[in-house]
Amino acid sequence: MPRRPTKLIKPSAESEADASAARGEAPASNRATRAAERRAAIVEAAMEEFIARGFAATRLDDIAKRAGVAKGTIYLHFKDKESMFEELVRIVIVPVVARLTALPPPTGSVRDLVETFASNFLREVIGTRRGDLVRLIVAEGPRFPAVADFYYREVVSRGIAAMRGLIELGIARGEIRQKDLARYPQILVAPAMIAVIWQSLFARHAPLDAQEMLRVHLDLIFGERRTT
């Protein structure tokens, strides 16, 4: 049974209103709202088409049909399929990573911060359309370097930089003994990526408890938690 679409995209009229103001037009909140809703519908439809067909096979005609708009309407918002995909990543995935870079200064342990972020990531990605989108990038990124490059800039590099900062803080505090971990922050987030890929390929054969795997992984890095 196909998965029901997850509404991850919310229309925003601010950009349309700003554009109208820049052109010297009178405010037209209703028109701006309708345009924002059409744009959101296009992006939502694009996500469903990309996930169902893959990036290469997705056609603008199919996106327009699913969104209930004319094909020409798409070009009022996006210049091509690549720019549409980039917008989708910005709306659906970038905010999840942004929460990591916006973490407050740690008052507890570094492990607690990492565990909180990773747990939230697993909850918001595994089994959702976000996870489907990540798997799409992993599968088709080598064929479309521009898409992979964009994803690296907007998502991966930010997440890696934030994780490296947390690792260095953990080393400075004595929570992490393996100092070389700062050179390879990918290790810290490896369970999340494994879980995303495993979910689509092998979950029906061997269901994976991603949260428990995360706990074991963090025990290896920080040491087992002491129980009282």
Side-chain angles (χ1 to χ4, degrees):
M1 177 180 296
R3 188 184 320 209
R4 295 182 62 186
T6 303
K7 289 292 182 182
L8 302 172
I9 300 165
K10 299 178 181 179
S12 174
E14 285 82 356
S15 59
E16 295 290 340
D18 291 344
S20 296
R23 293 192 297 268
E25 298 176 358
S29 58
N30 290 341
R31 186 170 65 246
T33 298
R34 288 195 299 270
E37 289 173 349
R38 282 195 296 270
R39 182 184 179 91
I42 291 169
V43 176
E44 188 83 41
M47 178 166 61
E48 296 301 321
E49 289 295 321
F50 284 135
I51 291 171
R53 302 174 185 271
F55 185 82
T58 293
R59 303 184 309 157
L60 293 183
D61 299 86
D62 296 322
I63 294 174
K65 182 178 180 180
R66 185 184 285 268
V69 301
K71 183 178 178 181
T73 302
I74 291 179
Y75 290 107
L76 297 177
H77 298 274
F78 304 99
K79 64 179 182 179
D80 52 28
K81 189 165 65 173
E82 287 76 9
S83 64
M84 190 184 302
F85 189 83
E86 290 175 0
E87 177 77 354
L88 182 56
V89 170
R90 288 192 188 98
I91 292 173
V92 175
I93 298 180
V94 168
V96 177
V97 177
R99 295 188 194 108
L100 170 62
T101 59
L103 283 174
T107 54
S109 68
V110 171
R111 172 173 177 153
D112 287 340
L113 274 179
V114 173
E115 194 162 11
T116 296
F117 170 77
S119 296
N120 290 339
F121 179 88
L122 291 174
R123 183 173 60 253
E124 294 184 25
V125 174
I126 301 298
T128 72
R129 284 308 200 212
R130 292 188 180 96
D132 293 333
L133 201 59
V134 172
R135 286 188 287 271
L136 174 64
I137 294 167
V138 171
E140 300 205 36
R143 297 173 58 196
F144 300 94
V147 171
D149 291 347
F150 171 81
Y151 189 77
Y152 180 83
R153 289 194 309 271
E154 296 294 321
V155 178
V156 176
S157 64
R158 296 180 183 183
I160 290 298
M163 283 297 172
R164 181 178 285 113
L166 288 176
I167 292 170
E168 290 173 346
L169 180 60
I171 292 171
R173 288 183 170 187
E175 292 184 49
I176 299 175
R177 295 184 179 181
Q178 178 51 266
K179 296 182 179 180
D180 283 341
L181 183 61
R183 297 170 55 197
Y184 304 103
Q186 296 90 339
I187 294 175
L188 199 58
V189 296
M193 288 306 301
I194 291 172
V196 168
I197 295 171
W198 190 277
Q199 177 70 17
S200 63
L201 294 178
F202 310 120
R204 66 183 183 278
H205 303 296
L208 180 66
D209 187 335
Q211 293 287 353
E212 181 63 12
M213 180 176 67
L214 172 65
R215 183 194 65 77
V216 173
H217 179 70
L218 294 181
D219 280 349
L220 293 173
I221 293 174
F222 291 94
E224 294 186 25
R225 286 189 184 276
R226 295 181 180 179
T227 57
T228 57

